[in-house]
Amino acid sequence: MNAREYYLSVQAIIHAAPHVVRSEMRFEEIDITECYIRGTLYLLGDLELHIAEYVMTEPTIRRLKYRYHLQTAADKAVVSRWDNVAHHPQVETFPHHQHDRVGDIHPSPALDIAQVLDAALTFIPADG
């Protein structure tokens, strides 16, 4: 899979997610198998999911750097953030981890956009 094909697969995941109201994504192709994806997904429940991924697509897909930051749209309060910045070596899933709304750090598996969109569902109020 090349970088453009990867980006198209990300777009398909976003468009298939029923809780994504609107998206603003940017794609930067660094090389045929290397890209940077950034953007904001506007979700039901007045939430925003800010996405940043630096990806190599060959020989397998590797998210060398990622950050998925979920916040409220109205006051920009952090709801949750998942990333792989190597700054919490005490976490058993190092470098992958999650920050909660009060700033505590939790173990987290490596995530992709589909998985973080599923995780975001748990933060959307029942009345959407």
Side-chain angles (χ1 to χ4, degrees), residues 2 13 34 42 44 50 68 73 80 95-96 98 101 124:
N2 67 38
I13 290 165
E34 184 177 359
Y42 300 89
L44 295 175
H50 297 267
Y68 308 114
S80 187
H96 312 283
Q98 176 189 13
R101 68 176 67 237
I124 296 174

Side-chain angles (χ1 to χ4, degrees), residues 24-90:
E24 296 174 1
M25 298 294 293
R26 293 181 300 277
F27 168 72
E28 179 183 345
E29 184 178 44
I30 298 164
D31 194 343
I32 193 165
T33 62
E34 184 177 359
C35 64
Y36 188 63
I37 297 172
R38 292 176 44 145
T40 304
L41 306 180
Y42 300 89
L43 309 179
L44 295 175
D46 200 34
L47 296 173
E48 297 175 353
L49 179 61
H50 297 267
I51 293 170
E53 288 186 340
Y54 175 66
V55 180
M56 300 289 293
T57 62
E58 291 292 336
T60 61
I61 296 171
R62 292 173 291 139
R63 287 166 199 82
L64 301 179
K65 291 183 182 180
Y66 69 81
R67 175 183 42 83
Y68 308 114
H69 179 89
L70 186 64
Q71 67 184 35
T72 59
D75 60 4
K76 310 299 183 202
V78 173
V79 174
S80 187
R81 184 174 73 244
W82 301 265
D83 66 68
N84 66 344
V85 175
H87 56 189
H88 296 289
Q90 75 281 7

